[in-house]
Amino acid sequence: SVTNLDSGTPVNIEFVPTSRYALVQLGCFLLSCVSLVLYALRQVTVSQELAIETFLLLARGLNELTASKFDWTDAVHHSATAAGLFLMASGRFEALTQFAWVGVHMQCLHFPMSWWYIGCRRGCVLNSWREYASRHFRWTWVMAMTYRGGLMFLLAVQSAFDGLLAPAVLFALFGTAFSYLDVTWTKSFFAVVGWGPRPVRSRAALGGMALARLLTLKSMGWLWT
């Protein structure tokens, strides 16, 4: 078993050797993180980054299927992600094309997921990094989760005030779906790594929400879009 980093009590999870599944998942998440950094540096466009994410989504889905790791949460997540990318980036829906950047920002969860596969989950790639990886997984996960949900719901409200009914409804629906999945995964992830200090989680959550609010302000619409 492993030890919960908060209470010191054992968690009923046995260590297993690193599998091809874990290596492939980590590779996909790390490639996504590199692509997101290049996007932030303006080295790749929105469409290029979304094309990379689409390829990586297919690769992860195939890896999960072949490793028998594909469950209902993966089905909902991958389907919603694929649908969202198509609606925003295909160019067939003019009202949504302006929000294609949102599809890129939703991938921020791949930063904590990289930490998860590096040293948190059973069969992680670097078991000796467990404490370090768990510490950074916790705050990056909380910040990314809060940012994703906050951005979607704030954009839903902003779109409604702007008279953009279709984007408002879609942001509300997708925001609800992704938030539900994020909360569901949080319970299972944090049962392993522990919840950590409350102030750290609170600051991460406030940071995620503040960034989401910043990006929905009309006067700052140019930032990171």
Side-chain angles (χ1 to χ4, degrees):
S1 63
V2 299
T3 301
N4 183 295
L5 297 180
D6 289 337
S7 62
T9 58
V11 178
N12 190 25
I13 295 180
E14 294 182 357
F15 286 124
V16 297
T18 301
S19 61
R20 184 189 67 176
Y21 164 78
L23 290 171
V24 172
Q25 294 295 95
L26 176 59
C28 288
F29 284 126
L30 288 176
L31 286 174
S32 174
C33 292
V34 171
S35 180
L36 289 170
V37 170
L38 291 175
Y39 166 78
L41 296 174
R42 310 289 185 177
Q43 299 303 303
V44 298
T45 64
V46 171
S47 58
Q48 289 171 333
E49 211 289 318
L50 291 179
I52 293 171
E53 297 296 347
T54 300
F55 171 79
L56 294 174
L57 178 67
L58 292 172
R60 294 201 322 272
L62 181 61
N63 186 45
E64 289 159 356
L65 284 171
T66 56
S68 298
K69 300 288 187 179
F70 196 87
D71 62 13
W72 71 269
T73 60
D74 296 310
V76 173
H77 172 268
H78 295 348
S79 298
T81 300
L85 293 179
F86 175 76
L87 289 171
M88 291 185 290
S90 66
R92 299 186 180 185
F93 306 92
E94 185 176 352
L96 298 175
T97 302
Q98 62 180 306
F99 296 110
W101 61 272
V102 179
V104 176
H105 288 230
M106 290 298 101
Q107 314 307 315
C108 65
L109 207 67
H110 296 173
F111 288 99
M113 287 307 299
S114 295
W115 287 118
W116 175 257
Y117 281 94
I118 286 174
C120 298
R121 72 184 295 274
R122 77 167 193 159
C124 59
V125 175
L126 295 174
N127 186 52
S128 60
W129 281 33
R130 171 171 161 73
E131 184 173 356
Y132 182 80
S134 296
R135 183 166 64 249
H136 290 291
F137 169 81
R138 287 187 293 221
W139 75 264
T140 54
W141 175 269
V142 171
M143 186 171 186
M145 179 183 69
T146 308
Y147 173 68
R148 276 162 48 108
L151 182 63
M152 296 288 270
F153 287 117
L154 287 171
L155 284 173
V157 174
Q158 177 179 301
S159 297
F161 276 107
D162 290 344
L164 301 173
L165 181 60
V169 172
L170 288 172
F171 281 131
L173 291 175
F174 280 96
T176 300
F178 284 125
S179 295
Y180 176 77
L181 289 174
D182 289 349
V183 171
T184 299
W185 286 328
T186 296
K187 295 175 182 178
S188 58
F189 288 154
F190 280 58
V192 175
V193 301
W195 287 91
R198 184 185 296 272
V200 174
R201 299 199 312 273
S202 299
R203 287 194 296 268
L206 288 174
M209 185 57 70
L211 184 58
R213 180 60 185 132
L214 182 64
L215 292 179
T216 56
L217 292 174
K218 285 285 189 178
S219 61
M220 299 294 287
W222 55 269
L223 184 65
W224 295 89
T225 62

